[in-house]
Amino acid sequence: MSNGQRLKKLMESEGMVIAPGAYDGMTAKLIQRAEFSSIYMTGGGTSSGFGYPDYGLLTMSEMVENAGRIVDAVDLPVISDADNGYGNELNVFRTIRAFEKAGVAGVHIEDQVFPKRCGHLDNKELISLDDYLAKIRAAADARRDKDFVIIARTDSRAELGFEEAVRRCNAALQAGADVAFLEAPQTIEEMRAVPIEVGGPCLLNVVRGGKSPDIDFQQAKDMGYRIAIVPG
C-alpha cells in the first residue's frame, strides 16, 4: 500500500487526521513515538532549520531532500509543504514527481507568487485563478500514483475575501485536487463554513496565535475537517 493510500484510509477511519509538524528526522521520530498517525513536514520549520525566516527562501531540491529524510526516519505517511510549486505549471510537474519519488503521501501547493510568505503573515501576493488552476492540473497530471494526495491551498482570504477563497478551493477541487486548504479563516463562523461551502475534504492549519481563532481538535473534527496540520 502506498503512503497516499495509507493517508486516505486514515482520513476514512479516523474522521480527521492530526499531523504534527516535523522539520527533520528527529522531530518526526518524536511524533511517531507520541503515537500520532501522520506527520506534516512544515515549510516554516524546515526554513527555521536552515536558519531562514518563512519567506520561501528554500529551493525545491532542499525541500524534497528534507522530506525524503523524514520519510526514511519513520513509518508514517508524511504530508509535505510544497510552497507554490517553485515556478509555473512546468515546475509544478517536476515538483510533484520529485516529492512522489521521495515517498511522501501528498503535498500542498498554494496560490501565492514566488517567493511566498507564511500564510499567517500580512501582505501576501497572489497569482491569478487561471494560473493557479494550471498548477493544480499539472500537479494532478504529474503523479504516477493516483492516490498521491494533491492538496490545493489558497491564501486569498486575506486579500480577496472569504467568498473568493471558497471559490478558489472549489475550482481547484474540480481541476483535480483531492483536498482543499483554505488558509487562515479569520472567525469561528468562517472556520465552520469552510467544510460546508467547499465541496470536498478540507484541511485546517492549526497555528496557535495566528490569524485563525484557536480551537481544539475535537471542535475541528466536529466542524467537518478531515486533516489538521500543526506546523509548530
PDB file of all heavy atoms in Angstrom, residues 6 43 45 56-58 68 79-80 87 94 97 105 118-119 121-122 135 144 150 160 172 183 197 208 211 220 232:
ATOM      1  N   ARG A   6      -2.405   5.025   2.359  1.00  0.00           N
ATOM      2  CA  ARG A   6      -2.460   4.974   3.827  1.00  0.00           C
ATOM      3  C   ARG A   6      -3.092   6.240   4.393  1.00  0.00           C
ATOM      4  O   ARG A   6      -3.906   6.179   5.317  1.00  0.00           O
ATOM      5  CB  ARG A   6      -1.053   4.777   4.397  1.00  0.00           C
ATOM      6  CG  ARG A   6      -0.434   3.434   4.097  1.00  0.00           C
ATOM      7  CD  ARG A   6       1.018   3.391   4.534  1.00  0.00           C
ATOM      8  NE  ARG A   6       1.152   3.460   5.978  1.00  0.00           N
ATOM      9  CZ  ARG A   6       2.290   3.725   6.618  1.00  0.00           C
ATOM     10  NH1 ARG A   6       3.405   3.989   5.917  1.00  0.00           N
ATOM     11  NH2 ARG A   6       2.344   3.747   7.934  1.00  0.00           N
ATOM     12  N   GLY A  43       7.026  23.698   6.053  1.00  0.00           N
ATOM     13  CA  GLY A  43       7.973  24.536   5.333  1.00  0.00           C
ATOM     14  C   GLY A  43       8.580  25.602   6.218  1.00  0.00           C
ATOM     15  O   GLY A  43       9.771  25.904   6.119  1.00  0.00           O
ATOM     16  N   GLY A  45       9.040  25.374   9.495  1.00  0.00           N
ATOM     17  CA  GLY A  45      10.002  24.704  10.359  1.00  0.00           C
ATOM     18  C   GLY A  45      11.261  24.305   9.625  1.00  0.00           C
ATOM     19  O   GLY A  45      12.376  24.405  10.163  1.00  0.00           O
ATOM     20  N   GLY A  56       9.882  31.654   1.797  1.00  0.00           N
ATOM     21  CA  GLY A  56      10.059  30.935   0.548  1.00  0.00           C
ATOM     22  C   GLY A  56      11.487  30.969   0.026  1.00  0.00           C
ATOM     23  O   GLY A  56      11.705  30.995  -1.182  1.00  0.00           O
ATOM     24  N   LEU A  57      12.462  30.957   0.925  1.00  0.00           N
ATOM     25  CA  LEU A  57      13.863  31.084   0.515  1.00  0.00           C
ATOM     26  C   LEU A  57      14.502  29.750   0.139  1.00  0.00           C
ATOM     27  O   LEU A  57      15.543  29.728  -0.520  1.00  0.00           O
ATOM     28  CB  LEU A  57      14.675  31.733   1.644  1.00  0.00           C
ATOM     29  CG  LEU A  57      14.242  33.162   2.022  1.00  0.00           C
ATOM     30  CD1 LEU A  57      15.030  33.656   3.221  1.00  0.00           C
ATOM     31  CD2 LEU A  57      14.421  34.103   0.837  1.00  0.00           C
ATOM     32  N   LEU A  58      13.891  28.639   0.544  1.00  0.00           N
ATOM     33  CA  LEU A  58      14.469  27.342   0.212  1.00  0.00           C
ATOM     34  C   LEU A  58      14.062  26.912  -1.191  1.00  0.00           C
ATOM     35  O   LEU A  58      12.988  27.249  -1.684  1.00  0.00           O
ATOM     36  CB  LEU A  58      14.025  26.277   1.221  1.00  0.00           C
ATOM     37  CG  LEU A  58      14.445  26.493   2.674  1.00  0.00           C
ATOM     38  CD1 LEU A  58      14.059  25.277   3.510  1.00  0.00           C
ATOM     39  CD2 LEU A  58      15.937  26.757   2.787  1.00  0.00           C
ATOM     40  N   GLY A  68      12.437  13.626   2.077  1.00  0.00           N
ATOM     41  CA  GLY A  68      12.920  12.255   1.947  1.00  0.00           C
ATOM     42  C   GLY A  68      13.564  11.744   3.213  1.00  0.00           C
ATOM     43  O   GLY A  68      13.377  10.572   3.598  1.00  0.00           O
ATOM     44  N   ILE A  79       2.813  14.255   4.989  1.00  0.00           N
ATOM     45  CA  ILE A  79       2.289  15.327   4.136  1.00  0.00           C
ATOM     46  C   ILE A  79       3.345  16.422   4.105  1.00  0.00           C
ATOM     47  O   ILE A  79       3.861  16.811   5.152  1.00  0.00           O
ATOM     48  CB  ILE A  79       0.979  15.898   4.701  1.00  0.00           C
ATOM     49  CG1 ILE A  79      -0.073  14.811   4.856  1.00  0.00           C
ATOM     50  CG2 ILE A  79       0.467  17.046   3.834  1.00  0.00           C
ATOM     51  CD1 ILE A  79      -1.247  15.225   5.723  1.00  0.00           C
ATOM     52  N   SER A  80       3.664  16.932   2.918  1.00  0.00           N
ATOM     53  CA  SER A  80       4.722  17.936   2.832  1.00  0.00           C
ATOM     54  C   SER A  80       4.217  19.249   2.266  1.00  0.00           C
ATOM     55  O   SER A  80       3.372  19.285   1.371  1.00  0.00           O
ATOM     56  CB  SER A  80       5.874  17.425   1.960  1.00  0.00           C
ATOM     57  OG  SER A  80       6.908  18.389   1.905  1.00  0.00           O
ATOM     58  N   GLY A  87       7.567  27.683  -9.169  1.00  0.00           N
ATOM     59  CA  GLY A  87       7.559  28.208 -10.531  1.00  0.00           C
ATOM     60  C   GLY A  87       6.179  28.094 -11.142  1.00  0.00           C
ATOM     61  O   GLY A  87       5.170  28.119 -10.436  1.00  0.00           O
ATOM     62  N   ARG A  94       7.448  18.926 -12.337  1.00  0.00           N
ATOM     63  CA  ARG A  94       8.697  18.347 -11.812  1.00  0.00           C
ATOM     64  C   ARG A  94       8.658  18.234 -10.291  1.00  0.00           C
ATOM     65  O   ARG A  94       9.143  17.250  -9.711  1.00  0.00           O
ATOM     66  CB  ARG A  94       9.891  19.209 -12.238  1.00  0.00           C
ATOM     67  CG  ARG A  94      11.205  18.609 -11.778  1.00  0.00           C
ATOM     68  CD  ARG A  94      12.400  19.468 -12.096  1.00  0.00           C
ATOM     69  NE  ARG A  94      13.599  18.821 -11.548  1.00  0.00           N
ATOM     70  CZ  ARG A  94      14.636  19.471 -11.055  1.00  0.00           C
ATOM     71  NH1 ARG A  94      14.639  20.786 -11.030  1.00  0.00           N
ATOM     72  NH2 ARG A  94      15.678  18.823 -10.590  1.00  0.00           N
ATOM     73  N   ARG A  97       6.675  15.138  -9.226  1.00  0.00           N
ATOM     74  CA  ARG A  97       7.442  13.918  -9.490  1.00  0.00           C
ATOM     75  C   ARG A  97       8.531  13.723  -8.430  1.00  0.00           C
ATOM     76  O   ARG A  97       8.772  12.608  -7.953  1.00  0.00           O
ATOM     77  CB  ARG A  97       8.053  13.980 -10.890  1.00  0.00           C
ATOM     78  CG  ARG A  97       7.039  13.797 -12.009  1.00  0.00           C
ATOM     79  CD  ARG A  97       6.590  12.356 -12.105  1.00  0.00           C
ATOM     80  NE  ARG A  97       5.506  12.133 -13.034  1.00  0.00           N
ATOM     81  CZ  ARG A  97       5.658  11.831 -14.330  1.00  0.00           C
ATOM     82  NH1 ARG A  97       6.875  11.728 -14.847  1.00  0.00           N
ATOM     83  NH2 ARG A  97       4.603  11.625 -15.089  1.00  0.00           N
ATOM     84  N   ALA A 105       3.272  11.132   1.214  1.00  0.00           N
ATOM     85  CA  ALA A 105       1.903  10.727   0.897  1.00  0.00           C
ATOM     86  C   ALA A 105       1.183  11.761   0.039  1.00  0.00           C
ATOM     87  O   ALA A 105       0.263  11.425  -0.718  1.00  0.00           O
ATOM     88  CB  ALA A 105       1.112  10.509   2.185  1.00  0.00           C
ATOM     89  N   CYS A 118       4.791  33.190   4.744  1.00  0.00           N
ATOM     90  CA  CYS A 118       4.000  32.382   5.673  1.00  0.00           C
ATOM     91  C   CYS A 118       2.532  32.785   5.578  1.00  0.00           C
ATOM     92  O   CYS A 118       2.200  33.964   5.475  1.00  0.00           O
ATOM     93  CB  CYS A 118       4.514  32.582   7.098  1.00  0.00           C
ATOM     94  SG  CYS A 118       3.424  31.917   8.385  1.00  0.00           S
ATOM     95  N   GLY A 119       1.642  31.796   5.596  1.00  0.00           N
ATOM     96  CA  GLY A 119       0.223  32.053   5.425  1.00  0.00           C
ATOM     97  C   GLY A 119      -0.420  32.896   6.495  1.00  0.00           C
ATOM     98  O   GLY A 119      -1.519  33.424   6.301  1.00  0.00           O
ATOM     99  N   LEU A 121       1.128  35.594   7.829  1.00  0.00           N
ATOM    100  CA  LEU A 121       1.734  36.924   7.778  1.00  0.00           C
ATOM    101  C   LEU A 121       0.876  37.823   6.886  1.00  0.00           C
ATOM    102  O   LEU A 121       0.048  37.354   6.105  1.00  0.00           O
ATOM    103  CB  LEU A 121       3.160  36.856   7.229  1.00  0.00           C
ATOM    104  CG  LEU A 121       4.198  36.118   8.083  1.00  0.00           C
ATOM    105  CD1 LEU A 121       5.542  36.091   7.372  1.00  0.00           C
ATOM    106  CD2 LEU A 121       4.335  36.771   9.461  1.00  0.00           C
ATOM    107  N   ASP A 122       1.093  39.124   6.978  1.00  0.00           N
ATOM    108  CA  ASP A 122       0.351  40.076   6.153  1.00  0.00           C
ATOM    109  C   ASP A 122       1.043  40.293   4.809  1.00  0.00           C
ATOM    110  O   ASP A 122       2.169  39.856   4.583  1.00  0.00           O
ATOM    111  CB  ASP A 122       0.237  41.417   6.890  1.00  0.00           C
ATOM    112  CG  ASP A 122      -0.602  41.323   8.153  1.00  0.00           C
ATOM    113  OD1 ASP A 122      -1.591  40.558   8.142  1.00  0.00           O
ATOM    114  OD2 ASP A 122      -0.261  41.998   9.148  1.00  0.00           O
ATOM    115  N   LYS A 135      -1.582  25.151 -12.357  1.00  0.00           N
ATOM    116  CA  LYS A 135      -0.662  24.426 -11.465  1.00  0.00           C
ATOM    117  C   LYS A 135      -1.328  23.185 -10.879  1.00  0.00           C
ATOM    118  O   LYS A 135      -0.711  22.112 -10.792  1.00  0.00           O
ATOM    119  CB  LYS A 135      -0.182  25.340 -10.339  1.00  0.00           C
ATOM    120  CG  LYS A 135       0.759  26.448 -10.773  1.00  0.00           C
ATOM    121  CD  LYS A 135       1.303  27.182  -9.546  1.00  0.00           C
ATOM    122  CE  LYS A 135       2.284  28.262  -9.934  1.00  0.00           C
ATOM    123  NZ  LYS A 135       2.976  28.846  -8.767  1.00  0.00           N
ATOM    124  N   ARG A 144       2.290   9.767 -10.551  1.00  0.00           N
ATOM    125  CA  ARG A 144       2.241   8.420 -11.127  1.00  0.00           C
ATOM    126  C   ARG A 144       1.243   7.544 -10.375  1.00  0.00           C
ATOM    127  O   ARG A 144       0.619   6.668 -10.961  1.00  0.00           O
ATOM    128  CB  ARG A 144       3.636   7.798 -11.090  1.00  0.00           C
ATOM    129  CG  ARG A 144       4.629   8.456 -12.040  1.00  0.00           C
ATOM    130  CD  ARG A 144       5.950   7.693 -12.047  1.00  0.00           C
ATOM    131  NE  ARG A 144       6.820   8.145 -13.115  1.00  0.00           N
ATOM    132  CZ  ARG A 144       7.757   9.071 -12.985  1.00  0.00           C
ATOM    133  NH1 ARG A 144       7.922   9.663 -11.809  1.00  0.00           N
ATOM    134  NH2 ARG A 144       8.508   9.416 -13.998  1.00  0.00           N
ATOM    135  N   ILE A 150      -3.060  15.388  -3.637  1.00  0.00           N
ATOM    136  CA  ILE A 150      -2.830  16.778  -4.029  1.00  0.00           C
ATOM    137  C   ILE A 150      -3.742  17.671  -3.175  1.00  0.00           C
ATOM    138  O   ILE A 150      -4.966  17.558  -3.229  1.00  0.00           O
ATOM    139  CB  ILE A 150      -3.138  17.011  -5.517  1.00  0.00           C
ATOM    140  CG1 ILE A 150      -2.316  16.071  -6.395  1.00  0.00           C
ATOM    141  CG2 ILE A 150      -2.889  18.480  -5.883  1.00  0.00           C
ATOM    142  CD1 ILE A 150      -0.829  16.270  -6.321  1.00  0.00           C
ATOM    143  N   LEU A 160      -8.486  38.891  -0.811  1.00  0.00           N
ATOM    144  CA  LEU A 160      -9.649  38.898  -1.701  1.00  0.00           C
ATOM    145  C   LEU A 160     -10.955  38.537  -1.017  1.00  0.00           C
ATOM    146  O   LEU A 160     -12.020  38.636  -1.623  1.00  0.00           O
ATOM    147  CB  LEU A 160      -9.412  37.931  -2.879  1.00  0.00           C
ATOM    148  CG  LEU A 160      -8.167  38.207  -3.726  1.00  0.00           C
ATOM    149  CD1 LEU A 160      -8.027  37.157  -4.814  1.00  0.00           C
ATOM    150  CD2 LEU A 160      -8.217  39.609  -4.333  1.00  0.00           C
ATOM    151  N   ALA A 172     -10.272  24.500  -7.569  1.00  0.00           N
ATOM    152  CA  ALA A 172      -9.099  23.623  -7.503  1.00  0.00           C
ATOM    153  C   ALA A 172      -9.506  22.159  -7.377  1.00  0.00           C
ATOM    154  O   ALA A 172      -8.880  21.271  -7.990  1.00  0.00           O
ATOM    155  CB  ALA A 172      -8.210  24.026  -6.333  1.00  0.00           C
ATOM    156  N   GLU A 183      -6.463  28.721   3.696  1.00  0.00           N
ATOM    157  CA  GLU A 183      -5.551  29.203   4.726  1.00  0.00           C
ATOM    158  C   GLU A 183      -6.130  30.396   5.476  1.00  0.00           C
ATOM    159  O   GLU A 183      -6.689  31.326   4.890  1.00  0.00           O
ATOM    160  CB  GLU A 183      -4.217  29.590   4.080  1.00  0.00           C
ATOM    161  CG  GLU A 183      -3.211  30.236   5.012  1.00  0.00           C
ATOM    162  CD  GLU A 183      -2.693  29.298   6.095  1.00  0.00           C
ATOM    163  OE1 GLU A 183      -3.518  28.788   6.875  1.00  0.00           O
ATOM    164  OE2 GLU A 183      -1.469  29.095   6.166  1.00  0.00           O
ATOM    165  N   GLU A 197     -19.161  24.872   2.719  1.00  0.00           N
ATOM    166  CA  GLU A 197     -19.225  25.540   1.420  1.00  0.00           C
ATOM    167  C   GLU A 197     -18.235  24.997   0.402  1.00  0.00           C
ATOM    168  O   GLU A 197     -18.389  25.234  -0.795  1.00  0.00           O
ATOM    169  CB  GLU A 197     -19.006  27.047   1.607  1.00  0.00           C
ATOM    170  CG  GLU A 197     -20.088  27.703   2.457  1.00  0.00           C
ATOM    171  CD  GLU A 197     -20.006  29.211   2.459  1.00  0.00           C
ATOM    172  OE1 GLU A 197     -19.449  29.780   1.498  1.00  0.00           O
ATOM    173  OE2 GLU A 197     -20.500  29.821   3.434  1.00  0.00           O
ATOM    174  N   ARG A 208      -1.259  28.277  16.408  1.00  0.00           N
ATOM    175  CA  ARG A 208      -1.615  28.930  17.665  1.00  0.00           C
ATOM    176  C   ARG A 208      -1.114  30.374  17.658  1.00  0.00           C
ATOM    177  O   ARG A 208       0.055  30.642  17.386  1.00  0.00           O
ATOM    178  CB  ARG A 208      -1.017  28.176  18.845  1.00  0.00           C
ATOM    179  CG  ARG A 208      -1.431  26.716  18.928  1.00  0.00           C
ATOM    180  CD  ARG A 208      -2.936  26.530  19.027  1.00  0.00           C
ATOM    181  NE  ARG A 208      -3.315  25.130  19.158  1.00  0.00           N
ATOM    182  CZ  ARG A 208      -4.543  24.666  19.001  1.00  0.00           C
ATOM    183  NH1 ARG A 208      -5.531  25.497  18.696  1.00  0.00           N
ATOM    184  NH2 ARG A 208      -4.803  23.373  19.161  1.00  0.00           N
ATOM    185  N   LYS A 211      -3.734  33.899  12.509  1.00  0.00           N
ATOM    186  CA  LYS A 211      -4.886  34.676  12.061  1.00  0.00           C
ATOM    187  C   LYS A 211      -6.210  34.019  12.421  1.00  0.00           C
ATOM    188  O   LYS A 211      -7.228  34.700  12.544  1.00  0.00           O
ATOM    189  CB  LYS A 211      -4.816  34.871  10.538  1.00  0.00           C
ATOM    190  CG  LYS A 211      -3.619  35.659  10.046  1.00  0.00           C
ATOM    191  CD  LYS A 211      -3.696  37.113  10.444  1.00  0.00           C
ATOM    192  CE  LYS A 211      -2.569  37.919   9.813  1.00  0.00           C
ATOM    193  NZ  LYS A 211      -2.599  39.333  10.246  1.00  0.00           N
ATOM    194  N   ALA A 220     -12.553  21.002  15.631  1.00  0.00           N
ATOM    195  CA  ALA A 220     -12.234  20.969  14.202  1.00  0.00           C
ATOM    196  C   ALA A 220     -12.857  19.745  13.531  1.00  0.00           C
ATOM    197  O   ALA A 220     -13.410  19.827  12.433  1.00  0.00           O
ATOM    198  CB  ALA A 220     -10.723  20.967  14.009  1.00  0.00           C
ATOM    199  N   GLY A 232       3.659  24.132  14.178  1.00  0.00           N
ATOM    200  CA  GLY A 232       4.530  24.438  15.308  1.00  0.00           C
ATOM    201  C   GLY A 232       4.714  23.296  16.268  1.00  0.00           C
ATOM    202  O   GLY A 232       5.279  23.487  17.322  1.00  0.00           O
TER     203      GLY A 232
END
